[in-house]
């Protein structure tokens, strides 16, 4: 029965459907996505992904409304224990992203990265790599402000660990360099990294990932004397200790 419904949804989403048919498809997609059964949720995700691959459908106002209506249902699929469902959901969310919803989607992807940050099995490692890549791409394409970009990419460096590629750190450093004339922003940047260094030195704390430590060292060495609330010497000694 479910596969028949799935086929009908796909047919509706690939034709110039009437409002009543689109409403029916939306209801069925919602039922799939809200199901507690991973296989049914997967069908809901695949229905939307397939429709987004059709230029006529993806530009349809009714389909856009359907996506908006079920955006949070899609996001919730990231919390599934099923790796295949999570990967399909991640890909769909990336394709759904716009300047308006990208910050919210990136935030939920960071939540998923936070949950996977301590996992060591191959599935978690692969998912962590994909989450890091997608959050980075969203930040580079849709960042609303320099501060949001800093918070987002720094958190990627903090949570992603050894799966983060050097170009991510380079992108952050380039943005900071571009904003060096903004003293308030530079002060915020220095305090962000100094606080992370201090936290990493507390008993029982986890050591800073290598790339994050490199960025912190560069930022504090280059701009630390411009931040009244930061003692760059103490912070740099902490990094070297």
């Amino acid at each position: 029965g479910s596969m028949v419904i799935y086929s009908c949804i796909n047919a509706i989403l690939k034709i110039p459907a009437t409002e009543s048919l689109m409403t029916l498809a939306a209801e069925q997609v919602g039922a799939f996505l809200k199901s507690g059964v991973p296989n049914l949720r997967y069908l809901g995700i695949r229905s939307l992904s397939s429709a987004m691959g059709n230029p006529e459908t993806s530009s349809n106002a009714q389909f856009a409304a359907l996506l908006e209506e079920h955006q949070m249902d899609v996001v919730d699929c990231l919390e599934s224990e099923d790796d295949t469902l999570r990967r399909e959901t991640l890909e769909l969310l990336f394709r759904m992203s716009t300047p308006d919803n990208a910050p919210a989607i990136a935030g939920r992807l960071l939540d998923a990265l936070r949950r996977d940050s301590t996992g060591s099995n191959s599935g978690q490692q692969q998912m962590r790599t994909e989450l890091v890549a997608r959050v980075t791409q969203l930040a580079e394409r849709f960042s609303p402000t320099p501060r949001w970009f800093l918070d987002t990419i720094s958190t990627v460096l903090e949570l992603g660990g050894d799966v983060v590629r050097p170009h991510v750190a380079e992108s952050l450093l380039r943005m900071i360099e571009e904003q060096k004339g903004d003293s308030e922003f530079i002060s915020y940047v220095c305090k962000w990294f100094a606080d992370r260094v201090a936290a990493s030195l507390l008993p029982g704390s986890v050591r800073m990932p290598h790339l994050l430590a490199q960025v912190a060292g560069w930022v504090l060495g280059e701009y630390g004397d411009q931040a009244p609330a930061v003692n760059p010497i103490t912070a740099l000694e902490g990094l070297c200790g």
Side-chain angles (χ1 to χ4, degrees):
S2 297
M3 289 305 299
V4 173
I5 295 173
Y6 171 70
S7 297
C8 291
I9 293 171
N10 282 343
I12 292 171
L13 294 179
K14 289 178 180 177
I15 63 174
T18 63
E19 184 175 347
S20 60
L21 281 176
M22 188 63 79
T23 299
L24 179 61
E27 291 173 353
Q28 293 302 319
V29 168
F32 280 154
L33 293 174
K34 294 175 187 297
S35 170
V37 181
N39 287 347
L40 295 182
R41 300 177 87 184
Y42 179 81
L43 292 180
I45 295 294
R46 286 300 304 158
S47 295
L48 295 178
S49 296
S50 176
M52 288 202 72
N54 182 338
E56 290 187 14
T57 303
S58 59
S59 61
N60 181 287
Q62 287 179 298
F63 179 69
L66 188 159
L67 283 180
E68 184 174 355
E69 179 184 353
H70 292 296
Q71 180 176 306
M72 287 301 103
D73 295 326
V74 172
V75 169
D76 288 344
C77 291
L78 278 176
E79 299 180 11
S80 172
E81 297 296 321
D82 186 289
D83 288 340
T84 301
L85 174 58
R86 295 184 73 201
R87 282 194 294 273
E88 287 287 339
T89 300
L90 177 59
E91 182 63 26
L92 175 60
L93 282 171
F94 182 74
R95 295 169 68 187
M96 287 171 60
S97 298
T98 67
D100 291 332
N101 66 19
I105 289 177
R108 293 300 294 266
L109 298 187
L110 285 175
D111 289 342
L113 181 58
R114 195 170 282 108
R115 289 193 298 272
D116 279 340
S117 61
T118 57
S120 58
N121 67 52
S122 59
Q124 289 170 312
Q125 282 275 88
Q126 181 180 354
M127 190 63 189
R128 191 154 70 240
T129 299
E130 294 178 16
L131 284 165
V132 163
R134 289 312 192 190
V135 174
T136 301
Q137 290 167 332
L138 286 177
E140 290 176 342
R141 289 175 61 185
F142 299 121
S143 175
T145 65
R147 183 173 290 200
W148 183 88
F149 187 87
L150 168 76
D151 292 342
T152 300
I153 295 299
S154 298
T155 303
V156 167
L157 291 170
E158 192 171 29
L159 298 175
D162 57 1
V163 306
V164 184
R165 303 274 67 86
H167 75 85
V168 178
E170 292 164 5
S171 177
L172 177 58
L173 292 176
R174 186 164 53 251
M175 185 278 295
I176 294 171
E177 182 72 11
E178 290 170 354
Q179 300 297 319
K180 63 183 179 182
D182 184 340
S183 59
E184 183 179 345
F185 176 73
I186 291 299
S187 181
Y188 176 81
V189 171
C190 291
K191 188 173 188 314
W192 195 101
F193 284 104
D195 287 348
R196 293 308 185 280
V197 172
S200 72
L201 299 175
L202 295 174
S205 63
V206 178
R207 194 169 182 83
M208 289 180 75
H210 181 64
L211 267 181
L212 182 62
Q214 284 187 321
V215 173
W218 184 86
V219 167
L220 295 170
E222 191 76 14
Y223 300 114
D225 60 346
Q226 299 181 32
V230 172
N231 184 329
I233 302 301
T234 301
L236 289 168
E237 287 176 348
L239 280 174
C240 298

